[in-house]
């Protein structure tokens, strides 16, 4: 899943070879089991506390997995799945135009046909059996949530290599997932300077780093025999979380369980389809139902969800072509004016409803949400309207359903102008980035590094172009509304003046 549509040049290439032969276990795990686990040498991993903040950089790559376009590993995965109970498939793994590899129809596939039928026994979830049961028991005793539990599970199983039941699946996973987790802070600052997705990426990176540090201090350091640092470290967690962000699915018919579904996650995304993975109780397998027909040789697609181009880049590392994603949106940053004499009162009203003085709202090509308009009303409202601050803040929050569509005619023009100013401020940032993108510094010595920089730069240009397009449309709508309002006011004044002249 989430194989990008461009060639990615990986530069994080280390060597891992020595098995852990000197680890002494005191928890009942046999020496034979220990010898099956390979170590992950992280001696060259370095962290930066200045320019790159909390982002971990490295010149190594994970020892398991494969290159993103590897068909051999994917074919071995299909063979193993078939031997383990996967029914005969109407799709096969091939190199494709959209994504380095994907599932292609081997036979005619009709619209409305159910495909895959992956049994739950071949699905990885929080209930999956560990090669090292003691490690799983420790995590569950400490009430570790599903996401970090699955991230740790994936690392643990990967470290056992061929001894793990999931070795064929892990070998078919990308060695370096496409994810903004692998962008350095300087790359985020350079290429995504105009987009609010930069802030989301930094938040995600910090969350992953914080999750790892919490597990390391609270659990790993107390059980070094079960969680050796050579295996369970920041670099391997970045890999496992990258896999989860790009491949984990939620199965509504299995009580909303989060799961990795081998083989199904080879399906690539298309904005033109509306079909999703789920558990089918009648066939007792993970399936998806096609919403179009496919001819032999055509790539079969599913939807990763109604996500914006920025969200697709954040988790999956690709950006759809401009104008092809009907769910595309751009986050518009709004903020209260600190010089507003009611700033404190407005901020407190927002805080009570889970919002802050700085708030991001999604804007689509078709318009903006009612919550954004409510926030704008609050931002421009005068002290005489302090009695309405609370209801404005409540309407700006998506946690309430009351009076979201409220209107305040007396300040509507000011609210629209406030949104327009914010919109035009964002447009200027995008325009500045796109105009200067041809001269962005690519001061690197390695050809692979140059290719990587060019790839990231192109992704950023594609994203910023699509997001600016939405803002241009919003700018047009706002200007037209304001023009119409002013024209209406002028007409009203003319009529009023006419009456006054008549009576005079």
């Amino acid at each position: 899943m989430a194989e990008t549509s461009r060639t990615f040049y990986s530069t994080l290439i280390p060597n891992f070879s020595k098995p852990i032969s000197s680890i002494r276990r005191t928890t009942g795990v046999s020496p034979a089991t220990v010898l099956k686990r390979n170590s992950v040498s992280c001696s060259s991993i370095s962290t930066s506390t200045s320019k790159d903040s909390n982002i971990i950089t490295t010149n190594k790559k994970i020892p398991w997995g494969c290159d993103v376009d590897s068909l051999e590993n994917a074919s071995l995965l299909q063979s193993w799945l078939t031997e383990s109970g996967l029914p005969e498939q109407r799709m096969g793994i091939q190199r494709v135009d959209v994504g380095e590899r994907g599932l292609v129809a081997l036979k005619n596939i009709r619209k409305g046909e159910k495909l895959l039928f992956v049994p739950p026994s071949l699905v990885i979830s929080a209930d999956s059996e560990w090669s090292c049961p003691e490690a799983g028991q420790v995590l569950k005793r400490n009430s570790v949530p599903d996401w970090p539990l699955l991230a740790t599970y994936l690392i643990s199983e990967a470290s056992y290599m061929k001894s793990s039941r999931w070795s064929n699946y892990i070998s078919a996973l990308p060695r370096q997932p496409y994810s903004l987790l692998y962008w350095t802070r300087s790359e985020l600052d350079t290429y995504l300077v105009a987009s609010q997705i930069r802030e989301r990426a930094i938040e995600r990176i910090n969350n992953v780093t914080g999750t790892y540090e919490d597990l390391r201090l609270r659990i790993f350091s107390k059980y070094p025999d079960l969680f050796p640092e050579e295996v369970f470290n920041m670099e391997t967690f970045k890999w496992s979380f990258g896999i989860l962000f790009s491949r984990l699915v939620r199965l509504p018919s299995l009580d909303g369980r989060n799961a990795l579904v081998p083989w199904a996650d080879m399906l690539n995304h298309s904005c033109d389809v509306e079909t999703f993975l789920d558990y089918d109780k009648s066939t007792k397998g993970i399936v998806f139902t096609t919403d179009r027909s496919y001819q032999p040789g055509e790539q079969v697609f599913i939807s990763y969800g109604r996500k914006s181009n920025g969200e697709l880049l954040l988790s999956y590392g690709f950006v759809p072509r401009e104008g092809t994603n009907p769910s595309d949106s751009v986050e518009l940053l709004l903020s209260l004016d600190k010089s507003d004499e009611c700033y404190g009162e407005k901020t407190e009203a927002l805080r009570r409803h889970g919002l802050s003085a700085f708030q991001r709202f999604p804007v689509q090509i078709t318009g903006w949400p009612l919550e954004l308009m409510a926030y704008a009303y609050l931002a421009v409202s005068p002290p005489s309207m302090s009695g309405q601050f609370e209801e404005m803040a409540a309407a700006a929050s998506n946690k309430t359903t009351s009076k979201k569509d409220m209107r305040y005619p007396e300040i509507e023009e000011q609210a629209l102008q406030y949104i327009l100013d914010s919109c035009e401020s964002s447009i200027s940032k995008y325009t500045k980035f796109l105009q200067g993108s041809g001269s962005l510094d690519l001061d690197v010595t390695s050809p692979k590094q140059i290719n990587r920089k060019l790839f990231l730069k192109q992704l950023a240009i594609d994203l910023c172009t699509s997001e600016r397009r939405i803002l241009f449309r919003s700018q047009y709508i706002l200007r037209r509304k304001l023009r119409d309002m002013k024209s209406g006011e002028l007409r009203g004044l003319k009529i009023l003046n006419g009456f006054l002249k008549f009576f005079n």
Side-chain angles (χ1 to χ4, degrees):
M1 192 177 290
E3 314 287 358
T4 190
S5 59
R6 292 187 177 86
T7 304
F8 186 83
Y9 299 88
S10 175
T11 59
L12 312 180
I13 307 177
N15 291 314
F16 302 90
S17 56
K18 297 181 181 180
I20 297 179
S21 56
S22 59
I23 293 179
R24 293 178 300 165
R25 295 186 179 271
T26 60
T27 56
V29 182
S30 67
T33 304
V34 174
L35 292 174
K36 292 176 182 178
R37 171 178 268 172
N38 284 15
S39 72
V40 181
S41 173
C42 297
S43 57
S44 68
I45 292 177
S46 62
T47 61
S48 172
T49 56
S50 55
K51 185 177 181 181
D52 281 355
S53 184
N54 290 328
I55 297 176
I56 309 297
T57 60
T58 178
N59 62 354
K60 293 196 169 217
K61 73 176 179 181
I62 298 301
W64 44 76
C66 64
D67 293 333
V68 74
D69 60 350
S70 171
L71 294 184
E72 179 183 359
N73 297 60
S75 297
L76 290 173
L77 170 63
Q78 185 176 17
S79 299
W80 171 73
L81 289 170
T82 301
E83 294 169 2
S84 302
L86 184 72
E88 182 181 355
Q89 297 291 296
R90 299 175 67 82
M91 301 175 293
I93 187 77
Q94 293 183 20
R95 287 193 175 90
V96 291
D97 293 332
V98 180
E100 277 80 6
R101 58 185 182 179
L103 295 184
V104 172
L106 301 177
K107 303 176 182 179
N108 285 318
I109 296 175
R110 301 183 306 276
K111 179 180 179 180
E113 189 169 347
K114 290 182 179 179
L115 299 177
L116 286 177
F117 305 102
V118 180
S121 60
L122 294 176
V123 170
I124 295 177
S125 71
D127 298 325
S128 294
E129 183 178 349
W130 291 61
S131 293
C132 179
E134 293 87 349
Q137 291 166 8
V138 166
L139 294 181
K140 291 177 181 178
R141 280 202 306 270
N142 283 272
S143 302
V144 175
D146 280 4
W147 271 73
L149 178 72
L150 283 168
T152 309
Y153 178 82
L154 203 57
I155 297 169
S156 180
E157 294 304 307
S159 70
Y160 280 93
M161 301 296 220
K162 294 294 183 182
S163 301
S164 169
R165 180 195 178 208
W166 303 106
S167 63
N168 284 287
Y169 172 61
I170 292 168
S171 296
L173 293 174
R175 187 174 289 119
Q176 180 175 318
Y178 290 139
S179 168
L180 290 187
L181 288 176
Y182 281 88
W183 291 38
T184 66
R185 180 60 179 269
S186 60
E187 288 167 348
L188 291 171
D189 291 343
T190 300
Y191 299 123
L192 297 180
V193 62
S195 177
Q196 287 298 315
I197 211 67
R198 168 185 169 275
E199 298 300 323
R200 295 269 300 277
I202 293 172
E203 289 172 8
R204 178 168 291 187
I205 290 167
N206 289 338
N207 285 340
V208 171
T209 303
T211 298
Y212 165 71
E213 288 298 328
D214 174 66
L215 290 174
R216 183 181 67 83
L217 294 172
R218 192 162 57 90
I219 300 174
F220 297 167
S221 62
K222 296 179 181 178
Y223 301 90
D225 292 328
L226 292 176
F227 304 102
E229 190 176 356
E230 294 89 348
V231 174
F232 299 89
N233 51 66
M234 188 61 242
E235 188 62 23
T236 58
F237 263 81
K238 186 166 65 171
W239 170 80
S240 63
F241 268 98
I243 295 296
L244 295 185
F245 280 125
S246 62
R247 292 170 181 266
L248 198 68
V249 295
R250 183 177 177 274
L251 302 171
S253 299
L254 271 183
D255 301 321
R257 182 181 305 175
N258 292 317
L260 291 168
V261 186
W263 191 246
D265 59 10
M266 294 292 175
L267 287 160
N268 287 320
H269 169 81
S270 172
C271 298
D272 297 326
V273 301
E274 291 287 338
T275 185
F276 306 90
L277 292 176
D278 199 4
Y279 177 70
D280 182 62
K281 295 179 180 178
S282 62
T283 59
K284 293 182 172 51
I286 311 300
V287 305
F288 75 98
T289 304
T290 60
D291 59 1
R292 52 154 292 190
S293 60
Y294 294 93
Q295 300 296 318
E298 283 189 290
Q299 184 175 184
V300 180
F301 294 100
I302 64 167
S303 172
Y304 293 172
R306 297 180 180 89
K307 301 180 185 296
S308 69
N309 286 1
E311 291 170 322
L312 290 171
L313 175 61
L314 180 63
S315 292
Y316 305 100
F318 69 88
V319 177
R321 293 192 310 276
E322 182 183 359
T324 62
N325 182 5
S327 300
D328 196 16
S329 65
V330 56
E331 290 187 328
L332 183 64
L333 179 65
L334 302 181
S335 61
L336 299 180
D337 186 353
K338 289 188 177 181
S339 63
D340 187 337
E341 59 181 296
C342 298
Y343 178 81
E345 192 175 350
K346 292 178 180 180
T347 301
E348 184 61 24
L350 289 169
R351 186 194 63 79
R352 285 193 290 271
H353 293 278
L355 303 179
S356 68
F358 295 87
Q359 201 66 40
R360 297 191 293 257
F361 292 94
V363 176
Q364 291 187 297
I365 200 75
T366 54
W368 47 87
L370 297 172
E371 290 84 356
L372 184 152
M373 194 67 198
Y375 190 100
Y377 279 135
L378 177 65
V380 303
S381 56
S384 60
M385 298 183 69
S386 59
Q388 283 79 45
F389 288 174
E390 192 68 26
E391 66 179 10
M392 291 176 184
S397 170
N398 58 11
K399 297 177 182 177
T400 180
T401 58
S402 62
K403 289 193 173 182
K404 279 187 178 181
D405 58 345
M406 64 178 64
R407 292 190 63 188
Y408 300 94
E410 65 272 34
I411 58 171
E412 185 169 3
E413 185 176 339
Q414 297 96 304
L416 291 174
Q417 185 63 53
Y418 167 80
I419 299 172
L420 177 60
D421 292 342
S422 300
C423 187
E424 291 182 335
S425 175
S426 292
I427 288 174
S428 66
K429 293 178 183 178
Y430 283 103
T431 301
K432 182 179 179 181
F433 166 76
L434 291 170
Q435 288 177 344
S437 60
S439 59
L440 286 178
D441 183 19
L442 293 175
D443 185 19
V444 289
T445 56
S446 166
K448 288 186 176 180
Q449 281 284 4
I450 292 176
N451 288 332
R452 180 179 186 276
K453 295 285 185 182
L454 289 174
F455 174 75
L456 300 187
K457 176 181 170 183
Q458 188 59 55
L459 283 176
I461 290 173
D462 291 347
L463 176 67
C464 289
T465 301
S466 67
E467 291 188 338
R468 187 178 66 163
R469 170 177 173 265
I470 296 172
L471 291 174
F472 272 142
R473 175 62 180 171
S474 298
Q475 179 189 51
Y476 169 78
I477 294 173
L478 287 161
R479 285 178 173 177
R480 188 180 64 185
K481 283 179 176 288
L482 287 167
R483 184 180 66 245
D484 291 346
M485 290 180 72
K486 289 175 181 177
S487 297
E489 290 172 2
L490 289 174
R491 285 196 300 271
L493 286 173
K494 287 180 181 179
I495 293 171
L496 179 60
N497 287 333
F499 275 114
L500 291 174
K501 287 180 181 178
F502 175 79
F503 286 111
N504 287 332

